[in-house]
Amino acid sequence: MYAFDYHKPHSLAEAAALLEAHPEARLLAGGMTLIPTLKQRLASPTDLVDLGGLADLVGIVVDAGEITIGAMTTHAAVAHSKEIKARLPALAALAEGIGDPQVRHRGTIGGSISNADPAADYPAALVGLGATVITDRREIAADDFFTGMFETALAPGEIVRQVRFPIPLAAGYAKFPNPASRYAVVGAFVARTAAGVRVAVTGAGPSVFRLPEMEAALASSFAPQAIAGIDVPEDDLNRDPHATAAYRAHLVGVMTARAVTTALES
Amino acid sequence: MVGTVSVAFSVNGRDVKAKVEPRTLLVTFLRENLGLTGTHVGCDTSQCGACCVLLDGRSVKSCTILAVQADGASVTTIEGLGTPEKLHPMQIAFNENHGLQCGFCTPGMIMSAVDFAQGNAEPTPDQVREWLEGNICRCTGYHNIVASVEAGARAMAKA
Ligand code: FES
Ligand code: FES
């Protein structure tokens, strides 16, 4: 690891000022991606600004129609939240499937979405549920937040504070995990809401994406059979030693059908 | 200009104060500054769990945490669990169930298992296997580790 300076601000304003003063600084959330990246010398920030001292960024608030999760809330906290398990079990199950227990004790929702790994789980939940990302300066719809591989709509120095999820009528998440890393080879999040059905897929492409044709089919009949025969073109999908693009295209249909089944059982 | 930062935390019940370079990993600090070499480094890439310690009671991978991030926290390593005269129930369970061969993964397995057992007095083998997702053993084939964790969890609930 290259050397860096370390700062632990006690307010969001202080964190923002530190990022402003040190343009080559990086924010440190749970560190589950950033620290391995630093160890491999794939990044060389001059400074780390650790958000671990900001208690305001930790917590889960559930009210009538929505769930708001602080950016520094860990995957374990989301997975074990009684209220999330009761109101939006698909989200708790998704968090429980990230990495391993030790990673879930440290990794955070804010860190995960800001990193925007193409195979991360949370982007599917945000886009699938039509969540809103609340930063220190504005609100960003999930559909506009993930802009590409490891790319988001966040401006330099902008800090994620919370994510707000509307509670759907039913939802399910299914993923085909890489057996070693537990990242999604393909993961599909399906939500049925009063406004219609949303389907968001992670792992398959450079960034999370929706499947309008499946959404329309599921809106008229919310059952796994409704999407049988809808082919997903493999053209823009990821290919790597774990799975070809054609295999991923096939998995999109399978995982979406499984997510619908999970949603129906919830 | 990169300097050192002060950290203060408790390790196995003992207060520790030190100045460290910010890039110092918690596992490096435990092993090299404090001489607590029971915590192992297997992979150094967050996969194997040999470096598991408890941070404020929850298991974490100390190769993927900076020492400065533990500032103010309480850290427990394998050395803090029991003594050679009075082993921790989970250590006894690994001993009695032959839950190790070379022993390299064992400190991490035991720290992870202790965390797991805190909320699971009567775990099923499947629950144990699922929990041990982040702990890799290259010798045993896991069977006896799973039996050890089941027995250790029951013993901890009784202790
Ligand atoms: S050494 Fe930390 S997980 Fe392997
Ligand atoms: S006993 Fe040898 S690695 Fe587990």
Side-chain angles (χ1 to χ4, degrees), chain A residues 163-189:
Chain A
V163 182
R164 196 169 62 221
F165 293 94
I167 298 176
L169 301 172
Y173 179 61
K175 80 163 156 174
F176 190 86
N178 176 304
S181 69
R182 293 296 187 232
Y183 272 102
V185 176
V186 171
F189 199 102

Side-chain angles (χ1 to χ4, degrees), chain B residues 101-121:
Chain B
Q101 288 182 23
C102 79
F104 193 84
C105 69
T106 315
M109 285 284 176
I110 290 181
M111 298 316 288
S112 176
V114 166
D115 179 14
F116 170 72
Q118 289 166 355
N120 291 287

Side-chain angles (χ1 to χ4, degrees), chain B residues 40-51 61 63:
Chain B
H40 292 168
V41 179
C43 63
D44 199 24
T45 53
S46 331
Q47 322 286 326
C48 76
C51 64
K61 292 181 169 175
C63 75

Side-chain angles (χ1 to χ4, degrees), chain B residues 81-144:
Chain B
L81 270 196
T83 62
E85 296 72 42
K86 193 173 182 321
L87 292 173
H88 183 278
M90 192 60 79
Q91 292 173 310
I92 295 173
F94 270 72
N95 188 348
E96 287 178 347
N97 291 279
H98 201 90
L100 59 144
Q101 288 182 23
C102 79
F104 193 84
C105 69
T106 315
M109 285 284 176
I110 290 181
M111 298 316 288
S112 176
V114 166
D115 179 14
F116 170 72
Q118 289 166 355
N120 291 287
E122 286 290 336
T124 64
D126 280 353
Q127 287 171 322
V128 175
R129 284 178 188 275
E130 220 164 278
W131 178 270
L132 292 179
E133 168 68 34
N135 290 90
I136 293 174
C137 175
R138 288 287 85 131
C139 304
T140 62
Y142 299 97
H143 184 83
N144 287 357

Side-chain angles (χ1 to χ4, degrees), chain A residues 1-209:
Chain A
M1 220 183 305
Y2 294 114
F4 50 79
D5 269 324
Y6 172 85
H7 312 270
K8 193 169 183 180
H10 295 285
S11 70
L12 260 185
E14 198 188 325
L18 283 162
L19 291 178
E20 174 96 42
H22 304 285
E24 297 296 314
R26 288 284 291 270
L27 286 173
L28 175 62
M32 293 297 98
T33 301
L34 181 56
I35 292 175
T37 306
L38 295 175
K39 290 207 288 194
Q40 293 177 71
R41 296 191 163 183
L42 293 174
S44 51
T46 55
D47 298 75
L48 286 195
V49 177
D50 183 359
L51 298 177
L54 302 184
D56 300 1
L57 295 188
V58 180
I60 296 165
V61 178
V62 180
D63 63 29
E66 54 198 28
I67 295 176
T68 306
I69 302 178
M72 288 294 286
T73 307
T74 63
H75 309 322
V78 172
H80 299 151
S81 157
K82 287 202 174 63
E83 285 179 296
I84 296 180
K85 279 182 172 170
R87 304 292 307 283
L88 188 42
L91 188 64
L94 175 145
E96 182 76 15
I98 299 174
D100 59 48
Q102 289 74 36
V103 167
R104 295 195 288 274
H105 286 153
R106 298 291 298 173
T108 65
I109 185 169
S112 170
I113 65 169
S114 303
N115 186 50
D117 190 299
D121 296 287
Y122 267 125
L126 266 73
V127 173
L129 289 163
T132 303
V133 179
I134 302 159
T135 75
D136 58 342
R137 47 189 95 157
R138 58 183 168 144
E139 299 199 351
I140 307 171
D143 280 328
D144 304 326
F145 184 82
F146 299 100
T147 53
M149 192 178 266
F150 297 107
E151 299 281 349
T152 67
L154 291 170
E158 186 169 13
I159 304 172
V160 174
R161 278 173 50 206
Q162 294 169 321
V163 182
R164 196 169 62 221
F165 293 94
I167 298 176
L169 301 172
Y173 179 61
K175 80 163 156 174
F176 190 86
N178 176 304
S181 69
R182 293 296 187 232
Y183 272 102
V185 176
V186 171
F189 199 102
V190 174
R192 192 162 66 84
T193 72
V197 175
R198 296 174 69 102
V199 179
V201 174
T202 190
S207 180
V208 58
F209 59 88

